[in-house]
Amino acid sequence: MKHPNSNNRKTNRRRFLSYLVGLAGLLLVGLVSVPMAALSLFPAFKRRKETWLDIGPLADVVLGDPTAFTYRYNNRDGYLDQLIRGTVYVVAENLQSFTVFSNICTHAGCAVRWEPDKQVFYCPCHNGMYNINGQVAAGPPPRPLDRFPYKVVGGRILIKIKGA
Amino acid sequence: MRSILRWIDDQTGLVSDIERFLAHPLPSGVSWPQTIGAVILFLLAIQFVTGIFLALYYAPTPDHAYDSIQFIRSIYWGRLVLGLHHYTTDAIAFLVGVHILRVFLWGAYKKPRQIIWVIGILLLTLTMAFTITGSLLPWDQNGYWATTIRMSLAGSLPIVGHWLKEIILGGHAVGTLTLTRFYAIHVFFLPAILVILLIFHVFQVRVKGITPPWRRVDGEQDVEKPLLFHPDHTIKIMICCTVIFVILVLATLILGFHLTPPANPNLAYPAHTDWYFLYLFELAHLFSGKWEFIGGMVIPGITLLAFILVPYLDRNPERKLARRPISIFLAGGVFIAVTALSMRSLPTIESAPKLTPLQQEGQKLFLDLHCQACHGINGGGGTAGPDLASGGKLTKKTIEEVLLNPTRFNPRSIMPPSQLNPHEIIAMVSFIQSIRPTSTMPSTPQIGPPEPQSHLEEGFMLNHRFEVMKDPQSCAECHQPRFCQACHRNRKPDSHLHHWLRFHAGASAANPKFCLVCHSRQQCDQCHRKLLHGPYWLKMHRNAALKNKATCYRCHTPTFCRTCHQGARPPSHQQPDFLQIHGKLTATHNCAVCHTPNFCVQCHQGARPVSHRAPDFIKQHGRLALSGTLRCSACHKVSFCQTCHRTAMPHPADWLNRKVLPPIGPVKTAQSPHSVAALRSPICANCHIQNFCMNCHGAAMPHPGGWMQSGHEPVALQNPALCKRCHQSSECLTCHQTHKPASHDANWPKTHPTAAKGHEKVCAVCHGQNSCDRCHQTPMPHPSDWAMTHAKVASFKANSFCFKCHDRQKFCSMCHSKTSP
């Protein structure tokens, strides 16, 4: 005849083993999940590389009028290399201190252009307008034109951009 | 946690179902060997999960597949996931084999579990299909060529082979459609089938129960089942799963995940078969040629069919090994055969031999010198030079000679001669000799962007010049102009071989960008220096050519100048005496159309030697030339003098000799070369003073106007010998026969004796010697003894001769009386 405690002992052992199995299961799931989560979430935590990009000589800047400079650089998009082209406007009252505006409209991302007659940056998509200081003058843009940090090295203008 | 599970159970009943599913009793004796199936299930789950997450980044196209895998590798966790996916495949292949062996040895396939065995064998084929399709997805050389070999086996089947192959590949060869097909099969078709079969397989195991060890088929009913699947067996499963997962992670971290070079259909690669396919690979190779399909398809197919039918062929109810001699013997035979075949084929995947310290030093040199940029090792590395896969077959002497003098075996080799010292040469030779067909290129960090697909095509090094010609700018996007010089300084392009210097100007003018791909703009200056053929070159080239003609001849033939200077000169320049008259032409022609203002200086000032710059050089040069002070021939040809003098210079030896020459002008008796030249043009005056001719002629020469009418007579009368230097006596008669001189008036017959007396020579100018005698028929003037001798003449010729001069009536009577005779 079996001892009455033997069944209880077996039950307790199995309960303990069940916990262990659950624990091991959770451990395995966790071990497998960590690399999966890291793999899928890493783009959100990837630091975007900042680089200084040469856009042209300071001598080309026209004082008083926005001067357009075009730039291009290679950007690594995942496993593809892309050539990124862009335009910025340099607005300068003097060559010691000036402003470098992005030509991307803050409303819908269209390219704005300087209209000398109206003295505004004009966005053809939704008639957005910015004054020479990049402030919204009319239309739907929610905020002023973006500005690029810049520096002048050896007579050339460098702007700070962020890669992908 | 418990409350959450209870809530889920209330909502779905799922927890209770799972608990019921897990809580089935197990017979005694079920222990660790029976955990293998569950571990395989766990590994398959890992494959599912890792596969799904890899699909976030993987691109199933030939252009991007390899790059996307490389991208995943570049992420730290990505490398771990990729490695897990890779090594789990190996683990599954191993454990599936062990699982089948375990099931066979335990006799678990016997009644009533035949269908579980059949499903298990089908699952085995599915895992094989997974590995076959999965190996192609990285689109690297090994996967590409392994797939090509496998598909060639399928294609070797008679009648249906090529159909089968093209259906699987989606074409005639492994390509884009193959990749998308394999991708779809690998991630959609196979998993779906696998899940269905797995559910059926596990469900059958749950229904039929785990086989009681070593019990007869008909003795299972009374088996005691003291164990519960959960947790008595699951704890062992979890332990095994945890251990094997840790092993897999460690394998990934330690061994890493390696890719062979990107797939290149044009570059054959010795693909390595995965170890679990070695026996099939070797089996196929036991048969050759058209019978290869027997080893590659028929025997494996029959074996698979036999495996499926094992439960129905083996009806022995016993499970103990000792009571199943035939089946154990057969199974042992299969096991030994598989092992033997695998061992026989093992050398094909043996790892590269371990390098000695000397060889490691050579390998470091190999990488430091960037030899891998041109020389590949079994497909890895560059393709410009020969692959070193068979480097071990080369002799030490050959390798040394190639290293020291690469052009010894190939004159057009681009390989630069090595600057290694003797010890480094030995190390390099040792490393190259250690390379085997199984060796791989030592891993080097990727510098810069990966090579584009076009650079990986076979023959790219031969064809890249056409790519350059099509779009030079595309090359310049990545490469600096000097990049080309890395090779071409040792080996010129084919176009530069034959007479290129003569053609390169035209080629560069037609497509300047083409040159700029390899050469910088300053490259031309290195050869041409100051001879830049710029916009004003035509106006400058003469001076430059005169200064350094040899430089011109590097590109141009000596006759090149004639292409312009003969046919293209304007008509005004083509006159024979252009050089003499070109100064005058400046008044009527606009020289500035072609010439710069200082063009004239090139001859008239700058280009003339010092000796020519004396103010009176023109007058003195003849004397200087004749005296030998000037070496005229250093610059001028003999004919140069004629360009100005229009006659032979210096005057030839017979210049003064009289000759019988054709008549010139009104004077028909010019008889010497110098008179011909003098009469042709007044060119003599350029050199000689006006009275120069009088030095010899004693008279103005050429005879001035009116000479014939009045000028020559006084000269002829005064010094007839002067005339005779040039003229013969008979020449006077040509005129004087019809045009008598002025002295010969009407009284001349009477007065001429007086005039002629003492001037016989003057008469002789026109009349010749003894002209008096010829006319008078008697000596004239009468000789001194004429008084004594005239009687004889007068006696018979008095009427015809004497009385022509003397009076008949009076002259004789002056001496003779009437009485005398």
Side-chain angles (χ1 to χ4, degrees):
Chain A
M1 184 178 176
K2 282 185 179 178
H3 194 278
N5 288 335
S6 66
N7 278 339
N8 287 338
R9 202 179 303 125
K10 189 178 283 185
T11 303
N12 291 337
R13 175 178 165 273
R14 281 180 173 157
R15 187 175 296 149
F16 174 70
L17 287 178
S18 294
Y19 282 126
L20 275 183
V21 169
L23 208 59
L26 285 174
L27 177 68
L28 280 176
V29 170
L31 286 175
V32 174
S33 299
V34 168
M36 304 306 143
L39 184 65
S40 54
L41 301 179
F42 95 94
F45 299 98
K46 184 185 176 189
R47 282 192 65 187
R48 297 173 72 189
K49 198 165 60 178
E50 292 180 345
T51 53
W52 288 98
L53 190 69
D54 185 343
I55 60 171
L58 185 63
D60 286 358
V61 173
V62 179
L63 293 178
D65 270 337
T67 311
F69 286 90
T70 57
Y71 63 86
R72 62 182 207 169
Y73 63 96
N74 278 317
N75 184 46
R76 184 82 173 161
D77 178 17
Y79 45 83
L80 293 178
D81 280 320
Q82 287 183 328
L83 186 65
I84 304 295
R85 294 184 176 87
T87 301
V88 295
Y89 281 96
V90 175
V91 179
E93 291 298 328
N94 57 68
L95 294 180
Q96 279 71 44
S97 175
F98 48 88
T99 312
V100 182
F101 287 114
S102 164
N103 77 328
I104 303 300
C105 180
T106 55
H107 172 233
C110 297
V112 302
R113 62 171 181 266
W114 174 250
E115 294 283 350
D117 298 337
K118 301 175 184 172
Q119 287 291 301
V120 291
F121 290 104
Y122 175 69
C123 177
C125 293
H126 302 95
N127 296 325
M129 293 185 190
Y130 306 83
N131 63 19
I132 196 168
N133 296 319
Q135 302 298 324
V136 179
R143 66 174 195 277
L145 285 174
D146 291 334
R147 302 178 182 208
F148 283 101
Y150 72 91
K151 64 182 178 182
V152 178
V153 176
R156 301 190 68 85
I157 306 171
L158 276 64
I159 60 172
K160 186 191 276 188
I161 56 152
K162 288 186 177 180
Chain B
M1 177 62 101
R2 193 181 296 276
S3 58
I4 294 171
L5 291 175
R6 192 178 300 123
W7 180 83
I8 294 172
D9 194 43
D10 289 343
Q11 297 294 315
T12 62
L14 198 61
V15 177
S16 301
D17 291 341
I18 292 173
E19 282 180 349
R20 271 197 299 277
F21 183 81
L22 293 175
H24 69 278
L26 295 180
S28 59
V30 173
S31 185
W32 297 99
Q34 282 78 7
T35 60
I36 298 173
V39 172
I40 292 172
L41 197 62
F42 167 69
L43 294 179
L44 287 172
I46 289 180
Q47 291 294 70
F48 268 83
V49 173
T50 53
I52 288 168
F53 280 89
L54 288 175
L56 292 177
Y57 302 100
Y58 176 74
T61 65
D63 285 345
H64 300 137
Y66 190 84
D67 291 339
S68 61
I69 295 290
Q70 286 279 37
F71 176 71
I72 295 170
R73 287 182 69 200
S74 68
I75 310 165
Y76 181 78
W77 293 104
R79 183 174 296 190
L80 180 65
V81 175
L82 205 56
L84 274 178
H85 198 75
H86 175 73
Y87 288 109
T88 303
T89 305
D90 290 336
I92 289 174
F94 175 74
L95 290 179
V96 163
V98 175
H99 184 55
I100 288 174
L101 190 63
R102 202 280 303 170
V103 170
F104 187 88
L105 293 178
W106 264 251
Y109 58 89
K110 294 176 184 285
K111 190 179 177 180
R113 299 180 183 80
Q114 298 97 320
I115 197 66
I116 299 176
W117 172 269
V118 172
I119 300 300
I121 298 302
L122 292 179
L123 286 170
L124 169 70
T125 57
L126 277 182
T127 54
M128 292 169 69
F130 266 113
T131 56
I132 289 172
T133 53
S135 67
L136 182 69
L137 298 188
W139 201 247
D140 64 341
Q141 279 284 71
N142 194 63
Y144 181 91
W145 288 101
T147 305
T148 301
I149 294 167
R150 290 165 189 155
M151 291 305 109
S152 69
L153 282 177
S156 64
L157 271 177
I159 303 173
V160 297
H162 70 283
W163 294 103
L164 182 66
K165 178 182 171 185
E166 291 189 10
I167 289 170
I168 296 172
L169 295 182
H172 297 287
V174 180
T176 309
L177 297 183
T178 314
L179 183 61
T180 51
R181 268 170 191 252
F182 276 36
Y183 175 72
I185 292 169
H186 189 80
V187 302
F188 297 118
F189 289 86
L190 293 179
I193 299 169
L194 185 79
V195 167
I196 292 169
L197 291 181
L198 268 179
I199 291 172
F200 191 65
H201 189 75
V202 174
F203 179 75
Q204 285 294 314
V205 171
R206 173 68 177 81
V207 170
K208 306 283 175 60
I210 294 179
T211 308
W214 319 122
R215 291 280 183 157
R216 278 176 60 92
V217 170
D218 49 2
E220 286 187 21
Q221 305 303 324
D222 54 348
V223 171
E224 187 182 355
K225 296 183 176 177
L227 301 172
L228 284 178
F229 180 78
H230 177 71
D232 295 333
H233 196 61
T234 50
I235 187 66
K236 294 173 182 167
I237 291 172
M238 296 310 288
I239 291 170
C240 289
C241 288
T242 306
V243 169
I244 202 153
F245 183 76
V246 170
I247 291 172
L248 289 174
V249 171
L250 289 175
T252 303
L253 296 177
I254 294 170
L255 301 177
F257 175 74
H258 299 290
L259 280 175
T260 52
N264 185 350
N266 301 310
L267 185 64
Y269 182 85
H272 301 157
T273 307
D274 296 317
W275 61 268
Y276 37 85
F277 283 137
L278 279 179
Y279 60 97
L280 289 175
F281 179 75
E282 192 61 27
L283 194 60
H285 280 69
L286 290 178
F287 301 84
S288 59
K290 64 180 181 179
W291 304 112
E292 197 175 36
F293 74 97
I294 295 176
M297 298 293 289
V298 175
I299 294 177
I302 292 172
T303 308
L304 184 66
L305 188 63
F307 261 73
I308 291 173
L309 296 176
V310 159
Y312 305 101
L313 297 174
D314 180 13
R315 294 173 182 274
N316 184 353
E318 291 292 341
R319 288 200 169 100
K320 287 185 178 175
L321 297 177
R323 297 179 181 176
R324 299 159 51 206
I326 297 175
S327 59
I328 295 301
F329 176 77
L330 290 174
V334 170
F335 181 78
I336 291 169
V338 167
T339 306
L341 287 171
S342 297
M343 294 298 288
R344 180 187 164 99
S345 189
L346 200 58
T348 60
I349 61 164
E350 68 175 356
S351 58
K354 193 173 181 180
L355 299 180
T356 63
L358 185 66
Q359 290 166 347
Q360 287 176 354
E361 189 179 341
Q363 185 189 52
K364 184 175 184 302
L365 280 170
F366 184 85
L367 297 176
D368 289 347
L369 295 173
H370 298 290
C371 304
Q372 79 278 13
C374 294
H375 294 286
I377 295 179
N378 287 312
T383 57
D387 194 292
L388 300 178
S390 56
K393 296 178 182 175
L394 298 174
T395 63
K396 180 183 176 184
K397 185 180 177 186
T398 303
I399 299 171
E400 277 183 0
E401 287 181 351
V402 170
L403 288 172
L404 295 172
N405 185 14
T407 56
R408 176 181 169 83
F409 299 101
N410 180 5
R412 298 201 64 216
S413 172
I414 63 172
M415 180 173 159
S418 66
Q419 305 293 326
L420 303 175
N421 61 42
H423 175 74
E424 290 172 333
I425 290 276
I426 293 171
M428 185 72 98
V429 169
S430 177
F431 169 66
I432 293 173
Q433 284 191 315
S434 74
I435 298 173
R436 297 285 180 271
T438 55
S439 301
T440 56
M441 176 65 75
S443 60
T444 51
Q446 173 74 35
I447 300 172
E451 281 189 297
Q453 190 67 25
S454 61
H455 288 37
L456 304 173
E457 294 175 356
E458 188 178 27
F460 171 74
M461 294 308 296
L462 288 174
N463 300 328
H464 74 286
R465 61 181 172 137
F466 300 113
E467 299 289 334
V468 174
M469 291 169 74
K470 276 193 293 185
D471 187 8
Q473 200 60 38
S474 69
C475 306
E477 289 277 340
C478 300
H479 301 294
Q480 297 282 338
R482 62 177 177 273
F483 175 79
C484 305
Q485 300 299 324
C487 295
H488 286 293
R489 68 182 170 197
N490 296 319
R491 175 193 171 116
K492 292 179 181 176
D494 293 344
S495 61
H496 289 31
L497 286 182
H498 305 293
H499 304 295
W500 170 242
L501 281 178
R502 292 178 185 172
F503 304 137
H504 79 289
S508 61
N511 192 356
K513 290 182 179 177
F514 177 54
C515 304
L516 291 175
V517 169
C518 299
H519 305 290
S520 64
R521 288 186 185 278
Q522 288 74 27
Q523 184 81 15
C524 305
D525 301 351
Q526 293 178 9
C527 291
H528 291 279
R529 293 188 180 87
K530 295 179 181 178
L531 303 184
L532 290 175
H533 294 16
Y536 300 104
W537 174 243
L538 279 179
K539 295 181 178 179
M540 300 158 55
H541 78 288
R542 184 175 181 273
N543 199 18
L546 288 173
K547 283 181 181 174
N548 194 357
K549 197 173 287 184
T551 304
C552 304
Y553 287 164
R554 289 186 62 184
C555 306
H556 305 294
T557 59
T559 57
F560 174 75
C561 305
R562 291 184 189 172
T563 55
C564 293
H565 287 289
Q566 201 169 45
R569 286 203 299 176
S572 61
H573 290 39
Q574 294 175 12
Q575 300 173 25
D577 57 347
F578 172 72
L579 278 178
Q580 284 74 47
I581 65 172
H582 72 283
K584 296 176 182 174
L585 292 177
T586 56
T588 54
H589 291 71
N590 185 7
C591 306
V593 171
C594 301
H595 304 295
T596 56
N598 58 358
F599 174 76
C600 307
V601 181
Q602 294 173 10
C603 290
H604 289 286
Q605 193 175 47
R608 288 196 298 175
V610 176
S611 59
H612 290 35
R613 295 177 192 172
D616 58 345
F617 173 73
I618 293 292
K619 291 181 179 176
Q620 298 294 332
H621 78 284
R623 184 178 56 81
L624 295 171
L626 291 173
S627 66
T629 307
L630 295 179
R631 290 190 303 107
C632 306
S633 60
C635 301
H636 306 294
K637 294 181 179 178
V638 175
S639 58
F640 174 76
C641 303
Q642 287 188 332
T643 55
C644 291
H645 288 282
R646 301 296 307 279
T647 187
M649 288 301 293
H651 297 317
D654 60 347
W655 182 245
L656 296 175
N657 291 353
R658 299 174 65 180
K659 294 179 181 178
V660 178
L661 296 172
I664 300 172
V667 180
K668 302 176 182 178
T669 55
Q671 294 178 345
S672 62
H674 83 282
S675 61
V676 173
L679 291 171
R680 181 180 290 155
S681 68
I683 196 75
C684 304
N686 289 345
C687 303
H688 303 295
I689 58 175
Q690 189 174 3
N691 296 326
F692 177 76
C693 302
M694 292 188 71
N695 294 340
C696 297
H697 289 280
M701 290 299 291
H703 298 318
W707 177 258
M708 296 303 293
Q709 286 75 26
S710 58
H712 78 290
E713 185 176 354
V715 175
L717 290 174
Q718 188 178 356
N719 191 359
L722 203 62
C723 301
K724 284 189 175 179
R725 289 182 181 176
C726 302
H727 305 290
Q728 293 182 351
S729 299
S730 58
E731 292 176 27
C732 301
L733 296 176
T734 56
C735 292
H736 290 297
Q737 279 184 343
T738 55
H739 299 84
K740 291 182 178 178
S743 57
H744 291 24
D745 55 8
N747 294 324
W748 181 251
K750 292 181 179 177
T751 60
H752 82 278
T754 307
K757 192 173 183 178
H759 298 92
E760 292 82 5
K761 291 182 180 178
V762 175
C763 300
V765 170
C766 297
H767 301 290
Q769 293 292 336
N770 303 319
S771 58
C772 302
D773 296 352
R774 289 196 302 273
C775 191
H776 290 278
Q777 295 288 317
T778 185
M780 286 302 287
H782 298 314
S784 58
D785 58 345
W786 180 249
M788 300 303 289
T789 59
H790 77 284
K792 190 177 179 180
V793 175
S795 61
F796 61 89
K797 291 183 180 178
N799 291 335
S800 57
F801 296 107
C802 301
F803 296 143
K804 284 186 177 178
C805 302
H806 305 295
D807 184 62
R808 177 189 295 262
Q809 299 299 327
K810 297 177 180 177
F811 186 75
C812 294
S813 61
M814 289 173 66
C815 294
H816 295 284
S817 65
K818 292 180 180 177
T819 58
S820 59

